[in-house]
Amino acid sequence: MITAEFDYQRVSSVADAVAALQAGGEDAKLLAGGHSLVPLMKLRLAAPSRLIDISGVPGLAGIERDGAQWRIGALTPHARLAASDVGLLNRVAATIADPQVRNRGTIGGSLAHGDPASDLPAAVLALDGSVVAHGPDGERTIAASAFFSDYMETALAPDEMLCEVRVPAMDGYGFGYEKFHRRAEDWAVVAVAAAVKVLDGACVDVRVALTNMASTPLRAGAVEAALRGQPATAEAVAAAAQRAAEGTDPPADLDADADYKCHLARVLCERALVAALAPA
Ligand SMILES: Cc1cc2nc3c(=O)[nH]c(=O)nc-3n(C[C@H](O)[C@H](O)[C@H](O)COP(=O)(O)OP(=O)(O)OC[C@H]3O[C@@H](n4cnc5c(N)ncnc54)[C@H](O)[C@@H]3O)c2cc1C
């Protein structure tokens, strides 16, 4: 299908992008990799009157270790993240779609899009990451736990641009990401991200987040509470993973009904935890 008509503006700085968003009003949209927005426009599910192309804004595509955290520019493509040392996010990015999408799609676009079936949102949530947004009133940092507000809705104001993603370095943790999809390049029917730290044979910290189990990515708090402090054994993992669907509200869709998604969450959670414990 062909998109509705729109004005196109290319900007070369964050300040210009914010100014263009303000001038364009609620119908203006930023364009990063275009691999979520353009398909929606072609299906006429989105019809922005103005596209503000931020793909050429310098300094926003890069990954840098800054003390105990990673700083990831909003325009960093999935392929670069997949090849990086950023724990958990590297293995999650590698599961996204195909090389073409991974070379164009950006972490900022993925988070700002707010699709609960996207892979990076749950991973950033599992790591207790945050995003840095720029708007007319300056810069603010939003915790991932407060960022995803509803289906394809985030805490970003219409005139704010997401510029950076920050996640803790998580040294000493093991990671797992298990994704169930119908074809290799598809979005997740369900996926589970896990990060676990083991000391003296016990799981001293456990982070688990779920993709596509509600209208936003979710932390699996019951699993985390059940495994934290327990021995890092197959039995303890299996028991904790049984709680993966607690507190979820998965929508039925063409791929799976809610019961099947809950079953997937439990199975994938066990596999993700086993993978996360493998280094220990
Ligand atoms: C065939 C195909 C398969 C895919 N499979 C997967 C998959 O398996 N898993 C997965 O997670 N994703 C998948 N995707 C989506 C892909 O990862 C997208 O690239 C990504 O979700 C959005 O990033 P983008 O840079 O393309 O954003 P865009 O499409 O440019 O933008 C998406 C939305 O975010 C807004 N936006 C973009 N950047 C910013 C910013 N810096 N600040 C504020 N708002 C911003 C835009 O205005 C728009 O509303 C797939 C896409 C395709 C086409």
Side-chain angles (χ1 to χ4, degrees), residues 35 96-105:
H35 273 53
I96 296 175
D98 48 43
Q100 186 184 357
V101 175
R102 289 197 291 275
N103 278 303
R104 294 290 303 174

PDB file of all heavy atoms in Angstrom, residues 35 96-105:
ATOM      1  N   HIS A  35      11.726   1.273  10.308  1.00  0.00           N
ATOM      2  CA  HIS A  35      11.275  -0.103  10.129  1.00  0.00           C
ATOM      3  C   HIS A  35      10.077  -0.486  10.989  1.00  0.00           C
ATOM      4  O   HIS A  35       9.599  -1.623  10.917  1.00  0.00           O
ATOM      5  CB  HIS A  35      12.440  -1.080  10.337  1.00  0.00           C
ATOM      6  CG  HIS A  35      13.190  -1.296   9.058  1.00  0.00           C
ATOM      7  ND1 HIS A  35      13.688  -0.254   8.320  1.00  0.00           N
ATOM      8  CD2 HIS A  35      13.482  -2.417   8.368  1.00  0.00           C
ATOM      9  CE1 HIS A  35      14.262  -0.737   7.232  1.00  0.00           C
ATOM     10  NE2 HIS A  35      14.156  -2.045   7.242  1.00  0.00           N
ATOM     11  N   ILE A  96      16.520 -10.128  16.633  1.00  0.00           N
ATOM     12  CA  ILE A  96      15.542  -9.274  15.951  1.00  0.00           C
ATOM     13  C   ILE A  96      15.586  -9.519  14.441  1.00  0.00           C
ATOM     14  O   ILE A  96      16.618  -9.312  13.788  1.00  0.00           O
ATOM     15  CB  ILE A  96      15.811  -7.780  16.247  1.00  0.00           C
ATOM     16  CG1 ILE A  96      15.614  -7.497  17.747  1.00  0.00           C
ATOM     17  CG2 ILE A  96      14.904  -6.885  15.415  1.00  0.00           C
ATOM     18  CD1 ILE A  96      15.967  -6.087  18.173  1.00  0.00           C
ATOM     19  N   ALA A  97      14.484  -9.962  13.902  1.00  0.00           N
ATOM     20  CA  ALA A  97      14.242  -9.985  12.459  1.00  0.00           C
ATOM     21  C   ALA A  97      15.409 -10.539  11.654  1.00  0.00           C
ATOM     22  O   ALA A  97      15.963 -11.583  11.975  1.00  0.00           O
ATOM     23  CB  ALA A  97      13.857  -8.590  11.992  1.00  0.00           C
ATOM     24  N   ASP A  98      15.794  -9.812  10.598  1.00  0.00           N
ATOM     25  CA  ASP A  98      16.818 -10.270   9.658  1.00  0.00           C
ATOM     26  C   ASP A  98      17.911  -9.191   9.560  1.00  0.00           C
ATOM     27  O   ASP A  98      17.761  -8.100  10.105  1.00  0.00           O
ATOM     28  CB  ASP A  98      16.185 -10.528   8.287  1.00  0.00           C
ATOM     29  CG  ASP A  98      15.311  -9.374   7.849  1.00  0.00           C
ATOM     30  OD1 ASP A  98      15.737  -8.205   8.031  1.00  0.00           O
ATOM     31  OD2 ASP A  98      14.196  -9.596   7.359  1.00  0.00           O
ATOM     32  N   PRO A  99      19.002  -9.470   8.846  1.00  0.00           N
ATOM     33  CA  PRO A  99      20.103  -8.485   8.797  1.00  0.00           C
ATOM     34  C   PRO A  99      19.659  -7.107   8.308  1.00  0.00           C
ATOM     35  O   PRO A  99      20.151  -6.082   8.793  1.00  0.00           O
ATOM     36  CB  PRO A  99      21.112  -9.129   7.836  1.00  0.00           C
ATOM     37  CG  PRO A  99      20.855 -10.591   7.960  1.00  0.00           C
ATOM     38  CD  PRO A  99      19.380 -10.733   8.188  1.00  0.00           C
ATOM     39  N   GLN A 100      18.753  -7.052   7.355  1.00  0.00           N
ATOM     40  CA  GLN A 100      18.315  -5.748   6.831  1.00  0.00           C
ATOM     41  C   GLN A 100      17.667  -4.914   7.944  1.00  0.00           C
ATOM     42  O   GLN A 100      17.986  -3.736   8.122  1.00  0.00           O
ATOM     43  CB  GLN A 100      17.324  -5.966   5.691  1.00  0.00           C
ATOM     44  CG  GLN A 100      16.925  -4.681   5.003  1.00  0.00           C
ATOM     45  CD  GLN A 100      15.865  -4.924   3.941  1.00  0.00           C
ATOM     46  OE1 GLN A 100      15.473  -6.055   3.678  1.00  0.00           O
ATOM     47  NE2 GLN A 100      15.393  -3.859   3.340  1.00  0.00           N
ATOM     48  N   VAL A 101      16.766  -5.532   8.694  1.00  0.00           N
ATOM     49  CA  VAL A 101      16.098  -4.813   9.790  1.00  0.00           C
ATOM     50  C   VAL A 101      17.110  -4.466  10.876  1.00  0.00           C
ATOM     51  O   VAL A 101      17.109  -3.351  11.411  1.00  0.00           O
ATOM     52  CB  VAL A 101      14.937  -5.660  10.376  1.00  0.00           C
ATOM     53  CG1 VAL A 101      14.333  -4.972  11.592  1.00  0.00           C
ATOM     54  CG2 VAL A 101      13.872  -5.911   9.319  1.00  0.00           C
ATOM     55  N   ARG A 102      18.017  -5.394  11.160  1.00  0.00           N
ATOM     56  CA  ARG A 102      18.996  -5.130  12.231  1.00  0.00           C
ATOM     57  C   ARG A 102      19.972  -4.012  11.845  1.00  0.00           C
ATOM     58  O   ARG A 102      20.526  -3.350  12.697  1.00  0.00           O
ATOM     59  CB  ARG A 102      19.770  -6.414  12.581  1.00  0.00           C
ATOM     60  CG  ARG A 102      18.926  -7.447  13.303  1.00  0.00           C
ATOM     61  CD  ARG A 102      19.773  -8.494  13.998  1.00  0.00           C
ATOM     62  NE  ARG A 102      20.466  -9.382  13.089  1.00  0.00           N
ATOM     63  CZ  ARG A 102      19.952 -10.473  12.546  1.00  0.00           C
ATOM     64  NH1 ARG A 102      18.698 -10.819  12.826  1.00  0.00           N
ATOM     65  NH2 ARG A 102      20.666 -11.227  11.745  1.00  0.00           N
ATOM     66  N   ASN A 103      20.177  -3.812  10.564  1.00  0.00           N
ATOM     67  CA  ASN A 103      21.081  -2.736  10.142  1.00  0.00           C
ATOM     68  C   ASN A 103      20.402  -1.378  10.051  1.00  0.00           C
ATOM     69  O   ASN A 103      21.084  -0.354  10.004  1.00  0.00           O
ATOM     70  CB  ASN A 103      21.727  -3.093   8.800  1.00  0.00           C
ATOM     71  CG  ASN A 103      22.907  -4.024   9.003  1.00  0.00           C
ATOM     72  OD1 ASN A 103      23.836  -3.697   9.736  1.00  0.00           O
ATOM     73  ND2 ASN A 103      22.848  -5.190   8.401  1.00  0.00           N
ATOM     74  N   ARG A 104      19.086  -1.342  10.003  1.00  0.00           N
ATOM     75  CA  ARG A 104      18.365  -0.067   9.896  1.00  0.00           C
ATOM     76  C   ARG A 104      17.659   0.312  11.201  1.00  0.00           C
ATOM     77  O   ARG A 104      17.602   1.479  11.576  1.00  0.00           O
ATOM     78  CB  ARG A 104      17.311  -0.134   8.778  1.00  0.00           C
ATOM     79  CG  ARG A 104      17.862  -0.285   7.385  1.00  0.00           C
ATOM     80  CD  ARG A 104      18.568   0.939   6.887  1.00  0.00           C
ATOM     81  NE  ARG A 104      17.714   2.125   6.914  1.00  0.00           N
ATOM     82  CZ  ARG A 104      18.117   3.348   6.635  1.00  0.00           C
ATOM     83  NH1 ARG A 104      19.375   3.563   6.327  1.00  0.00           N
ATOM     84  NH2 ARG A 104      17.291   4.367   6.673  1.00  0.00           N
ATOM     85  N   GLY A 105      17.049  -0.678  11.861  1.00  0.00           N
ATOM     86  CA  GLY A 105      16.272  -0.401  13.074  1.00  0.00           C
ATOM     87  C   GLY A 105      17.170   0.055  14.206  1.00  0.00           C
ATOM     88  O   GLY A 105      18.303  -0.409  14.343  1.00  0.00           O
TER      89      GLY A 105
END
